[in-house]
Amino acid sequence: MLNIVILAAGMGKRMRSDLPKVLHTLAGRSMLAHVVGTARALSPQRIVIVTGHGAEQVQAACAGQPDVRCVLQSPQLGTGHAVQQAEPELLPGGTTLVLYGDVPLVSEATLRGLVDAAAQGLGVLTVQLPDPTGYGRIVRDDAGEIRRIVEHKDASPAEQAIDEVNTGILAAPTDALRGWLAGLTNDNAQGEYYLTDVIAAAVAAGVPVRSAAPGHAWETLGVNSRAQQAELERLYQRHQAERLLEAGVTLADPARIDVRGGLLCGRDVFIDVNCVFEGEVELADGVIVGPNCVLRNVRVGPGARIEAFSHLEEADVGAGANVGPYARLRPGTVLGERSRVGNFVEVKNARFGADSKANHLSYVGDATVGQRVNIGAGTITCNYDGVNKHRTVIEDDAFIGSDTQLVAPVTVKRGATVGAGTTLTRDAPADTLTVSRSPQKAIEGWRRPVKADKAGR
Ligand code: UD1
Ligand code: CA
């Protein structure tokens, strides 16, 4: 049985923001969402979030997550008081793990280590810091056993010299914790109910107290300011980059990639500088992504190339396809194998069959394009009549001349050729040239108009 309590009542004054601190983002997701995600990975029976400042916004952010319960802490009288508010929601037995909503990078592995350390009693996640100022210090006896935690403001000079600090994250036996919480007092320098006082209570009750260390010290860093938020963002991104390098991805510069979601890569993927990956992105074997691309919820097939400055959202790029430079694939784009979408081409809710091309300056929206189709420069699917969207169908082996407007709903039949400059308002028959241009004429004896003074009057 595992309960997880996430403390998220703090104000976050130094963020200077209308948004509650825990809703500020890291890698595209709120800090609270990171913590809840990691909490879920431990398969707890219950997750309780303690809200306070901006409680309504935090509750709204948790709406639609039936496995998460919010309790209100008002006023905020300390970390111990915060957990007291969650106590009625805790399921009996087992362990209760306490996390902070503003410590977003703590990993599943670290928390498993802590919960294991707490199996026989109480576990505290601690780190050693060169400058422990401000933190609660871990006080041990001569045998090295943890006796209590003393807050910085209550610590003697000797205690302030201790460099092992409380990260704030702890795991305790739920049933005993209830009693320890009930016994907390606010008789201390800050007049707060300290959660950290449960450590001395456990020791007094003869319950073993163990420490656990995080996988990386930076996992336990908290965010109190925009500067710390930016610092954690870089730490997180650096960690993502290292993970990709270890998985065999080539990064032109590990310091210039941002992953805001999940990025899954096959073998021998190359990613150039300044690319942003959002949501769930999958790059298959041998994919090359050029510099300055944004990919949001995209799948790219084996051997495909995304050239510089392309923007792809909810798109599926087939094997060996070529996109960009300067291409925009909007939601619902599906590109077949070896297809090409070139510079200044926008594709939306459209499917390209294998080996089809739109190489230059076109808009292809709400369209079904067959195989081996060539769409010339400046082609536009006129899919919107001001009220409704209509579909354009271009069948296999069609050739669309440059500067063509396809006024949907309209179909270009198999093997048809549409002459350059055509405005197609009816279907183009198969294997036939359709052209709507007015015939070209040359007017004999025509003179350019001239200005009156130059004409000598
Ligand atoms: C706390 C610990 C300290 C530890 C430090 C690590 C206590 C008494 N002290 O100190 O030992 O070294 O964290 O950063 O626990 N919160 C609430 N309600 C409250 C008070 C706090 O929800 O009434 C939340 C905050 O939003 C924050 C977390 O608890 O997420 C910690 O609060 P904070 O004020 O930062 O604790 P510290 O005094 O720094
Ligand atoms: Ca703090």
Side-chain angles (χ1 to χ4, degrees):
M1 174 68 64
L2 180 63
N3 295 290
I4 299 185
V5 178
I6 302 173
L7 304 191
M11 166 142 64
K13 194 169 156 194
R14 285 201 280 146
M15 297 298 281
R16 298 185 186 277
S17 171
D18 293 336
L19 198 63
K21 180 163 71 172
V22 293
L23 296 186
H24 283 267
T25 58
L26 194 107
R29 283 197 302 159
S30 75
M31 295 197 278
L32 185 59
H34 282 270
V35 178
V36 170
T38 310
R40 275 197 188 113
L42 300 172
S43 313
Q45 277 68 37
R46 180 143 293 178
I47 299 176
V48 186
I49 300 177
V50 181
T51 66
H53 283 282
E56 279 172 23
Q57 287 174 74
V58 176
Q59 274 164 27
C62 295
Q65 301 179 40
D67 61 331
V68 166
R69 296 168 183 236
C70 290
V71 298
L72 182 67
Q73 185 200 16
S74 180
Q76 288 87 44
L77 303 178
T79 51
H81 179 253
V83 180
Q84 281 173 355
Q85 310 313 302
E87 186 269 332
E89 297 289 340
L90 302 180
L91 296 168
T95 301
T96 294
L97 174 65
V98 179
L99 306 178
Y100 285 1
D102 56 1
V103 178
L105 298 186
V106 68
S107 71
E108 181 191 339
T110 289
L111 295 180
R112 284 193 190 281
L114 176 66
V115 171
D116 286 349
Q120 310 305 326
L122 192 147
V124 190
L125 193 68
T126 73
V127 286
Q128 262 150 328
L129 294 181
D131 177 13
T133 308
Y135 289 89
R137 308 297 206 284
I138 307 296
V139 181
R140 293 179 184 265
D141 62 19
D142 293 342
E145 299 293 331
I146 297 177
R147 303 305 300 178
R148 59 192 180 95
I149 293 178
V150 59
E151 291 304 298
H152 180 92
K153 286 182 178 154
D154 300 291
S156 66
E159 287 165 341
Q160 287 192 6
I162 298 171
D163 67 352
E164 186 187 9
V165 306
N166 173 31
T167 63
I169 294 174
L170 61 77
T174 304
D175 298 337
L177 178 64
R178 289 184 211 273
W180 300 332
L181 288 171
L184 294 179
T185 66
N186 62 353
D187 180 17
N188 52 53
Q190 301 181 81
E192 287 183 5
Y193 295 90
Y194 291 166
L195 179 61
T196 43
D197 285 350
V198 303
I199 280 77
V203 170
V207 173
V209 178
R210 302 262 174 278
S211 62
H216 309 270
W218 52 257
E219 287 178 30
T220 65
L221 291 174
V223 171
N224 295 303
S225 65
R226 304 274 186 178
Q228 287 169 342
Q229 180 188 17
E231 189 188 327
L232 258 63
E233 178 78 34
R234 285 308 103 206
L235 279 163
Y236 176 86
Q237 294 302 345
R238 181 79 213 181
H239 186 62
Q240 296 300 302
E242 278 161 14
R243 193 182 57 79
L244 291 167
L245 294 170
E246 272 164 33
V249 177
T250 303
L251 300 177
D253 183 353
R256 281 185 290 168
I257 174 172
D258 281 60
V259 181
R260 301 174 190 156
L263 173 57
L264 205 69
C265 293
R267 291 178 81 82
D268 298 307
V269 166
F270 174 82
I271 300 173
D272 215 321
V273 299
N274 294 332
C275 291
V276 177
F277 298 90
E278 297 182 344
E280 299 305 315
V281 176
E282 271 180 54
L283 307 179
D285 295 352
V287 166
I288 295 175
V289 182
N292 301 296
C293 291
V294 177
L295 281 75
R296 181 181 302 140
N297 296 318
V298 169
R299 263 190 12 215
V300 183
R305 291 178 76 109
I306 313 297
E307 308 278 5
F309 294 98
S310 294
H311 190 284
L312 288 70
E313 180 175 6
E314 280 157 49
D316 199 318
V317 177
N322 216 300
V323 175
Y326 298 99
R328 178 163 186 215
L329 305 186
R330 290 173 51 203
T333 297
V334 179
L335 301 183
E337 293 180 12
R338 298 174 305 276
S339 58
R340 301 173 76 92
V341 170
N343 43 263
F344 309 108
V345 175
E346 174 178 342
V347 184
K348 184 215 77 173
N349 189 25
R351 187 174 276 273
F352 276 52
D355 302 294
S356 287
K357 300 171 189 162
N359 273 335
H360 334 268
L361 295 158
S362 290
Y363 172 62
V364 183
D366 300 306
T368 305
V369 178
Q371 302 187 17
R372 299 171 301 278
V373 169
N374 194 325
I375 296 177
T379 297
I380 294 170
T381 53
C382 309
N383 57 333
Y384 187 50
D385 59 15
V387 182
N388 299 302
K389 298 275 171 70
H390 301 283
R391 231 175 150 76
T392 299
V393 177
I394 305 175
E395 294 183 356
D396 294 350
D397 300 296
F399 181 99
I400 313 294
S402 300
D403 191 29
T404 293
Q405 299 94 53
L406 302 154
V407 183
V410 75
T411 297
V412 177
K413 301 279 193 189
R414 185 176 293 265
T417 300
V418 177
T422 292
T423 301
L424 198 71
T425 51
R426 282 172 285 129
D427 292 357
D431 301 315
T432 304
L433 171 66
T434 299
V435 59
S436 73
R437 253 178 281 154
S438 49
Q440 181 171 325
K441 51 189 174 184
I443 299 170
E444 296 284 340
W446 177 85
R447 293 272 172 272
R448 278 192 196 167
V450 283
K451 285 218 169 117
D453 55 340
K454 282 198 181 155
R457 264 179 271 158

